[in-house]
Amino acid sequence: MKRLIGAVSAVLMTFAAMPAQAADKVVLMLNWYVYGEHAPFYYGKAKGIYAAEGIDLEIQEGRGSAATTQAVAAKTADFGYVDVPTMMRAAIKGAPVVATGVLLQTSPMSAMGFADKNIRKPEDIKGKTVAITPADSMTQIWPLFLKKTGLKESDFKTVAGDGQTKLNAVINGQADLLLGYVMDQSMKIKDATGKDVYPIKFADYGINMVSSGIIANTDYVKANADLVRRFMSATTKAVEAAEKEPKAAAQAILDANPKGGKIDTLTQGFELTIPLYRTAETKSKRPFQVTDQNMTDSVNLMVEYGGLDAKAKDNPKAFYTNDYLPKSGS
């Protein structure tokens, strides 16, 4: 018995002396400077959700979905959080990227202005001035919104500029509205002015297409299938945890980046993001479980209005996969 105990002790000491297996270092590059939509990633890291999957996560801010897509294609970032239609434009031109999960399945695109201007429906846009950024995703879909709502270009004026110029135009009264995302530009305006913003959502007028999702390099996915599964499992759990604790999730942004905004608007921005996670078809599913129909419809809209090459319609499934997502309850 003494010999047995001694042998067991020796084995246990051997295991204790072995170094713990190092976590896999993973870089996630965001689509833009941090804002409320990004809360789940920071919350998942802070709560140890990624660590539990053996992942040492580094979150990097981005400078636009196109730039982040390029970084993922070049393997300078392992994963990207980007506008999926923007990724499609790169993929159809040969960039080796694929969406491993589509989080925003309802479009956040809108025309927004100060709530006190009482611009609440498309008809109210007549006679107003709209600030746009030429060639961005919203401006490309804007003609479809006009068509769906019976508006004409001659019904209003436009002013053009980059993202900050567009914000300043509304803040300074040079424009009545701007084209923006419900959880992004609206919060930036509120941070700057303290005033509420009202968005006229494109999705409310029959324009629904996917938006943000996780992308990876196709070669990276093939070579690291287990890691991709663990990353998507952790990210799914992070989103689910953040949905339950929006303010705590927003606070995780500030804990990691004290200059990342204000807690109230970060929280509000994230709360405005949550309803975009699911459609009527996916309301009972876990995050990222996009349907084939939603993706096909999005590809068709992008071909018709968003400048996507028509050959994209031949195989919409080439742009995304649900194969690395956790199953229900796992």
Side-chain angles (χ1 to χ4, degrees), residues 39-120:
F41 308 119
Y42 289 91
Y43 193 57
K45 181 174 180 177
K47 299 294 285 186
I49 294 172
Y50 287 97
E53 293 281 3
I55 293 171
D56 176 14
L57 180 65
E58 177 185 342
I59 304 170
Q60 297 181 355
E61 290 187 314
R63 299 296 180 269
S65 289
T68 297
T69 299
Q70 290 172 357
V72 172
K75 298 185 180 178
T76 55
D78 302 309
F79 294 92
Y81 182 67
V82 306
D83 175 61
V84 174
T86 298
M87 181 275 292
M88 290 178 187
R89 291 193 198 95
I92 203 69
K93 293 176 181 176
V97 287
V98 65
T100 54
V102 178
L103 185 56
L104 271 58
Q105 299 174 11
T106 297
S107 175
M109 295 180 183
S110 68
M112 62 180 70
F114 287 121
D116 60 14
K117 289 202 171 189
N118 207 31
I119 305 171
R120 303 298 174 101

Side-chain angles (χ1 to χ4, degrees), residues 7 16 42 45 70 90 115 120 123 147 172 204 228 239-240 252 256:
Y42 289 91
K45 181 174 180 177
Q70 290 172 357
R120 303 298 174 101
E123 182 74 14
K147 181 179 178 181
N172 298 329
D204 289 343
V228 175
V239 171
E240 291 171 333

